[in-house]
Amino acid sequence: MIRRSGFILLLALLLVPTAQADPSAIQRGAYLFALGGCASCHTDSDNGGEPLAGGLAMPTPFGTFYTPNISADPQQGIGAWSNADFIRAMRRGISPEDEHYYPAFPYTAYSLMSDAELHDLKAYLDSQPASAVPSKAHQLNFPFRYRSLLALWKWLYLDGQRFSPDPNRSEQWNRGAYIVNGPGHCVECHSPRTLLGGLDSDHLLEGTPDGPDGETVPGLTAASNPEFGQWLDEDIQFALETGMMLNGDFFSGTMGKVVDNSTSQLSEADRAAIAVYLKSFAKPPQ
């Protein structure tokens, strides 16, 4: 009798339809996916990598990081993660196995996102094809291979606060601030780092010679980049949409991928908000 009851219960569980994500949540998550430029880092497109399977090498002064598989595969990707697992990773940089993630994964920026946004992003990722390609191990210099040291790093550089609008600024400016500092994480690439790899908060958006793949990343303030200080809002919007700069050249390298996978897919309103926010830093002091 017990065996029969157990069989009936198992059969009932198997016959219960799997809960499907709300299509509107997936659609919102797709936009957030583009906003964060996730495809640029988590698909090794130059080497024919599978979508979201990771494997992209990121050389840094601390060693080489490899982006992980974030596909819906339950073993090699994040398909088995709960929403709570995903939020903890995105906000606190902690894996489901309670290991610290390195800040090459910019959770300091993603921590500004709301629960609802992170739920939508997870719904979109879960809707994408799974890839069973294992994530590559990082190749880091001593002593950075010891993840326990990241507890101190987070104490110094991760406050875990959600985005808080500035009541003295316009709604458009605040939207731009949220994108640049949050999911778009522009500030992560366009700012210099301290010796420990944290953002130099005194020089945000002033550029750095130690950008992705050793590229020099230009500043986005008038003091650090007088040429950019001459750009108009519409120049910035056009560049983010098409990749064409004011001098007629096109973005290449990492920024070229950002345009392809992120900014060209954003709404005109969001590109305009980014421009308004950046121009508030680009204007020379009066």
Side-chain angles (χ1 to χ4, degrees), residues 25-79:
I26 294 175
Q27 185 177 16
R28 292 191 299 269
Y31 189 80
L32 290 164
F33 180 84
L35 192 61
C38 310
S40 296
C41 285
H42 290 279
T43 300
D44 189 9
S45 55
D46 290 344
N47 294 304
E50 296 181 15
L52 304 184
L56 181 70
M58 300 176 63
T60 75
F62 308 100
T64 299
F65 294 94
Y66 291 93
T67 56
N69 183 330
I70 60 166
S71 78
D73 187 86
Q75 279 78 43
Q76 304 300 336
I78 63 172

Side-chain angles (χ1 to χ4, degrees), residues 131-201:
S131 171
V133 175
S135 298
K136 294 183 179 179
H138 303 314
Q139 298 178 358
L140 303 181
N141 306 324
F142 178 85
F144 306 111
R145 63 183 68 123
Y146 295 103
R147 291 178 184 263
S148 58
L149 297 176
L150 290 169
L152 174 60
W153 189 95
K154 290 177 179 179
W155 181 75
L156 292 170
Y157 299 111
L158 178 64
D159 62 21
Q161 299 297 310
R162 304 296 81 72
F163 177 74
S164 179
D166 185 341
N168 297 315
R169 296 283 192 166
S170 69
E171 182 178 348
Q172 187 180 43
W173 185 94
N174 276 298
R175 176 64 180 174
Y178 172 67
I179 294 171
V180 169
N181 294 283
H185 60 277
C186 316
V187 71
E188 298 281 337
C189 284
H190 284 273
S191 302
R193 299 271 174 174
T194 67
L195 290 175
L196 294 178
L199 286 178
D200 185 345
S201 59

Side-chain angles (χ1 to χ4, degrees), residues 8-265:
I8 293 174
L9 176 60
L10 177 60
L11 182 62
L13 290 173
L14 291 174
L15 291 176
V16 172
T18 302
Q20 298 295 316
D22 178 0
S24 61
I26 294 175
Q27 185 177 16
R28 292 191 299 269
Y31 189 80
L32 290 164
F33 180 84
L35 192 61
C38 310
S40 296
C41 285
H42 290 279
T43 300
D44 189 9
S45 55
D46 290 344
N47 294 304
E50 296 181 15
L52 304 184
L56 181 70
M58 300 176 63
T60 75
F62 308 100
T64 299
F65 294 94
Y66 291 93
T67 56
N69 183 330
I70 60 166
S71 78
D73 187 86
Q75 279 78 43
Q76 304 300 336
I78 63 172
W81 287 20
S82 67
N83 279 342
D85 291 333
F86 188 67
I87 288 176
R88 190 165 74 141
M90 294 288 281
R91 287 223 187 108
R92 297 173 55 198
I94 298 176
S95 76
E97 294 75 34
D98 292 326
E99 291 186 334
H100 291 293
Y101 284 122
Y102 288 98
F105 163 35
Y107 45 80
T108 47
Y110 298 142
S111 65
L112 273 62
M113 299 175 70
S114 69
D115 284 1
E117 287 176 314
L118 293 174
H119 289 168
D120 290 343
L121 179 56
K122 181 63 162 60
Y124 173 75
L125 293 172
D126 287 345
S127 74
Q128 299 306 292
S131 171
V133 175
S135 298
K136 294 183 179 179
H138 303 314
Q139 298 178 358
L140 303 181
N141 306 324
F142 178 85
F144 306 111
R145 63 183 68 123
Y146 295 103
R147 291 178 184 263
S148 58
L149 297 176
L150 290 169
L152 174 60
W153 189 95
K154 290 177 179 179
W155 181 75
L156 292 170
Y157 299 111
L158 178 64
D159 62 21
Q161 299 297 310
R162 304 296 81 72
F163 177 74
S164 179
D166 185 341
N168 297 315
R169 296 283 192 166
S170 69
E171 182 178 348
Q172 187 180 43
W173 185 94
N174 276 298
R175 176 64 180 174
Y178 172 67
I179 294 171
V180 169
N181 294 283
H185 60 277
C186 316
V187 71
E188 298 281 337
C189 284
H190 284 273
S191 302
R193 299 271 174 174
T194 67
L195 290 175
L196 294 178
L199 286 178
D200 185 345
S201 59
D202 292 329
H203 299 282
L204 295 180
L205 296 174
E206 292 186 8
T208 175
D210 299 316
D213 295 327
E215 298 173 351
T216 295
V217 181
L220 300 176
T221 68
S224 64
N225 189 349
E227 181 181 352
F228 182 73
Q230 301 304 311
W231 286 31
L232 303 176
D233 286 19
E234 51 263 39
D235 298 326
I236 299 174
Q237 294 175 54
F238 186 73
L240 294 175
E241 181 179 8
T242 66
M244 180 183 286
M245 294 179 283
L246 198 58
N247 61 8
D249 288 339
F250 284 84
F251 293 126
S252 59
T254 300
M255 190 61 198
K257 292 181 180 179
V258 169
V259 172
D260 289 343
N261 295 315
S262 180
T263 58
S264 65
Q265 301 179 38

